[in-house]
Amino acid sequence: MSISDFDVEPVVGPRVWMVLLGVVGAVAGLLAVIGWPLPIISSTHNSSGRHAWARTVRGVQDWFAHDGWRMSGSSWIYGALAVAAVAGIVVLLHPTWSASRALLVVAGPAGVLLVLGPVAQWALGLPWSNYGAGSTSGMALGVVTTLAGGAAITVLRRAARRSTAPKDGATAPPQGLR
């Protein structure tokens, strides 16, 4: 018996990731279309004093109680997640693409939805949802700030990686250690 007898393919391959991303994209797309409320994240400066889970449950109850089409700014966030998942499948189908191109394909359209959607909704003076209470300005500011911070961190990490990369003639570390 030798090592080659135990050489098997990995259990989790690109096909599994494509199926998983497809499921995530379909669920997120459905949540975007129906305007499902976002879960509330607990914070230390909660002005209403209610617990985050209670506020999440209240949003779902408001969603069920509303008669008519449910419109929500959360659709932009769920829609961006769905677009990112589908773009992830496209990236998996093109393994020869560079990391920069893959990042642009995934983050570009999702970022546009995440920024332009809530900002346009706020600029038009529309409420965050037509079935519950809440301000669009706070959510739009939070989404834009989070994306700007994420983009800045990504740029800084790439710049740091480039500055520590071996110079000409030096040996590069193995691909898995970068």
Side-chain angles (χ1 to χ4, degrees):
M1 193 172 269
S2 68
I3 295 288
S4 61
D5 293 336
F6 294 102
D7 191 19
V8 295
E9 290 186 31
V11 174
V12 178
R15 183 166 168 78
V16 172
W17 289 115
M18 284 190 254
V19 170
L20 182 63
L21 286 172
V23 169
V24 167
V27 170
L30 175 67
L31 294 176
V33 169
I34 66 174
W36 189 257
L38 287 171
I40 306 297
I41 299 171
S42 181
S43 68
T44 57
H45 60 279
N46 189 355
S47 61
S48 65
R50 291 190 289 174
H51 189 269
W53 179 250
R55 291 176 55 206
T56 299
V57 169
R58 180 67 192 159
V60 171
Q61 290 170 342
D62 290 344
W63 186 88
F64 277 115
H66 183 73
D67 188 23
W69 183 256
R70 293 149 183 95
M71 182 271 314
S72 175
S74 62
S75 293
W76 297 111
I77 296 167
Y78 289 126
L81 178 62
V83 166
V86 171
I89 293 171
V90 171
V91 167
L92 287 174
L93 290 172
H94 297 89
T96 58
W97 283 357
S98 68
S100 298
R101 185 174 185 181
L103 179 66
L104 184 64
V105 166
V106 173
V112 167
L113 273 178
L114 279 175
V115 171
L116 292 183
V119 168
Q121 191 171 339
W122 169 75
L124 293 172
L126 298 172
W128 184 250
S129 72
N130 66 350
Y131 56 81
S135 169
T136 303
S137 61
M139 289 299 287
L141 179 65
V143 167
V144 170
T145 303
T146 301
L147 281 174
I153 289 171
T154 301
V155 168
L156 290 173
R157 285 184 65 209
R158 285 182 177 264
R161 228 183 277 146
R162 264 190 235 117
S163 69
T164 60
K167 304 300 180 223
D168 291 340
T171 59
Q175 187 70 9
L177 298 177
R178 285 187 187 183

